[in-house]
Amino acid sequence: MTIGRDYLLRKPAGPSAPKLFLDTQVVPAAVNVAGSLEVALDRASVRTGIRPSVILAGVTGVISLALFRIFSDRSRRPGRRY
């Protein structure tokens, strides 16, 4: 790739539409969800007296077990060849 003499003189076009959507819609929504989960975890910790890391580990374990059971039940259904 060759950079011409007027490279620094030209104004860039700005971000693309997908990047603009990601930066203005998706990232703020994800941050809001993460913040809400953090507040919920903190409140549950205060109410129960259990450390947040223990609550988080328990919830993660329950979700993992549920997903494992769901996907292992699918593989045992009759008529599945692989």
Side-chain angles (χ1 to χ4, degrees):
M1 179 174 155
T2 305
I3 297 175
R5 297 177 73 186
D6 62 341
Y7 174 74
L8 295 176
L9 299 175
R10 287 183 279 147
K11 185 177 179 182
S16 63
K19 181 173 182 348
L20 190 62
F21 176 75
L22 184 73
D23 289 346
T24 59
Q25 302 293 321
V26 176
V27 171
V31 170
N32 286 339
V33 168
S36 300
L37 291 175
E38 183 180 4
V39 169
L41 181 63
D42 187 47
R43 289 180 180 171
S45 173
V46 169
R47 286 184 184 152
T48 61
I50 301 172
R51 291 190 336 233
S53 59
V54 175
I55 295 173
L56 190 59
V59 168
T60 304
V62 168
I63 291 172
S64 299
L65 180 64
L67 289 174
F68 177 76
R69 297 276 304 194
I70 288 170
F71 289 119
S72 65
D73 286 344
R74 281 188 179 177
S75 65
R76 283 189 253 149
R77 287 186 185 159
R80 191 168 172 117
R81 296 186 179 248
Y82 49 89

